[in-house]
Amino acid sequence: MADFLVALAEFDRQRLWVQLGHASLFDFLHRELGLSRGAAHYRKVAAQLVQKYPEMVEPLREGKLCITVVLEVARVITPENSAIVLPRFFLRSKQEAKAIAVGICPAAVIPRREVVTEVSRPPLVQPVELAATHHFQGAAPTAPMQLEPLTPNLQRLHMTVSKQFIDKLDAARKGQGHAQPGASAEKVIEAALDLLLAQQAKRRGEVKQPRIRPRPSKTGHVTAAVKRAVWSRDDGKCTWPLDSGGICGSTLRLEIDHVVPRGRGGPSTIDNCRLTCAMHNQLAARQVYGDDWMDQFTGSVQVKVPVAREPAAAWIFLQLTGPSPRAPPAACVAPGPS
């Protein structure tokens, strides 16, 4: 791509597209090369930037600078700030680049408004069953939210919601009439999110005043004190080790996993517990119990299945000796929190 953009920049500098009968470089890319209008626009802007800022060529060639961020680079780069601004866009996604650009050059006018637009019902599409290629299936895809950065602290949110959502939002706004008179949708949703985050923190054992002497609990139960310590120690990330070094690091669908499974006598202590994402939790269980056994409980994400229990065969108690620094240690019994 970088070599193509360098050649395209020289092609544009000599205005060779004129000799081919085109009115602009964009017309040449769109009509002659058959690129989509969006792809032609990205390449036109990139070629013009390469002409003005040759230092962009190497980052493009090395993959540090993606062509999808060139529009945001073009908004803020100048001959005076190029040495400082350009590296800020390295290894950034399109959305991250937008946020960087508005941080450098915020929008002059920030309209504050709530707009609800009714859309027509999409046509029904027959689902297509895909062959499973992996033991672990992800959650069903959801409609993505679109964030439009306006300033470093303000973003406009575009999302598609159901009529039930709008009705609930309206009811919640009315219910907040005394606590938050005239509250905007943003304030009502933020108050609801505060409650949800507080619930999630409680499930992690995070409370304002932890018990000095924890209450007695059932054998194998992961106490709030252990949850707090594990979440804090693992920094809220999956700690599954990678062959290349480091850890998985995912922050999605995290679960408390027993290094030595409870079913094999592993205690619910801080040293024997770790955070893993759902996929690596299941992988760890499969390493211990095998695919045939685990397939009984993780065959489909669309069907509520029982928690995996111990096979009938008796297990030999394993003493906790600590995980290997290279190989992933033994796992929990179930794909869910253990």
Side-chain angles (χ1 to χ4, degrees), residues 161-322:
V161 299
S162 65
K163 183 179 182 300
Q164 289 80 2
F165 178 92
I166 297 297
D167 293 341
K168 290 179 181 179
L169 178 59
D170 185 55
R173 197 199 307 244
K174 292 175 181 177
Q176 285 290 92
H178 291 290
Q180 294 177 300
S184 64
E186 177 190 3
K187 292 297 183 182
V188 174
I189 294 175
E190 186 174 9
L193 289 175
D194 287 339
L195 292 175
L196 179 60
L197 291 172
Q199 278 186 353
Q200 294 173 353
K202 187 175 181 180
R203 288 200 297 269
R204 296 193 295 267
E206 299 174 9
V207 292
K208 293 182 178 179
Q209 295 182 335
R211 294 178 181 271
I212 298 177
R213 295 181 178 178
R215 292 181 299 182
S217 60
K218 297 180 180 179
T219 302
H221 174 71
V222 182
T223 65
V226 171
K227 291 179 182 178
R228 284 194 299 273
V230 172
W231 274 88
S232 176
R233 181 198 64 201
D234 295 346
D235 196 26
K237 299 176 182 178
C238 174
T239 58
W240 186 266
L242 303 180
D243 290 342
S244 58
I247 60 173
C248 166
S250 174
T251 58
L252 301 176
R253 302 180 66 192
L254 295 177
E255 302 168 352
I256 297 288
D257 172 40
H258 287 68
V259 176
V260 175
R262 286 183 298 177
R264 294 190 174 183
S268 296
T269 59
I270 297 173
D271 291 338
N272 192 45
C273 290
R274 61 178 176 177
L275 284 182
T276 58
C277 62
M279 191 195 78
H280 282 131
N281 199 336
Q282 288 190 30
L283 177 59
R286 288 177 180 278
Q287 289 182 346
V288 176
Y289 298 106
D291 292 337
D292 291 342
W293 176 255
M294 291 303 299
D295 283 345
Q296 300 177 73
F297 312 101
T298 60
S300 173
V301 296
Q302 298 178 350
V303 179
K304 186 175 181 180
V305 294
V307 176
R309 301 298 181 189
E310 276 295 287
W315 291 103
I316 299 176
F317 179 84
L318 299 180
Q319 294 291 339
L320 176 63
T321 57

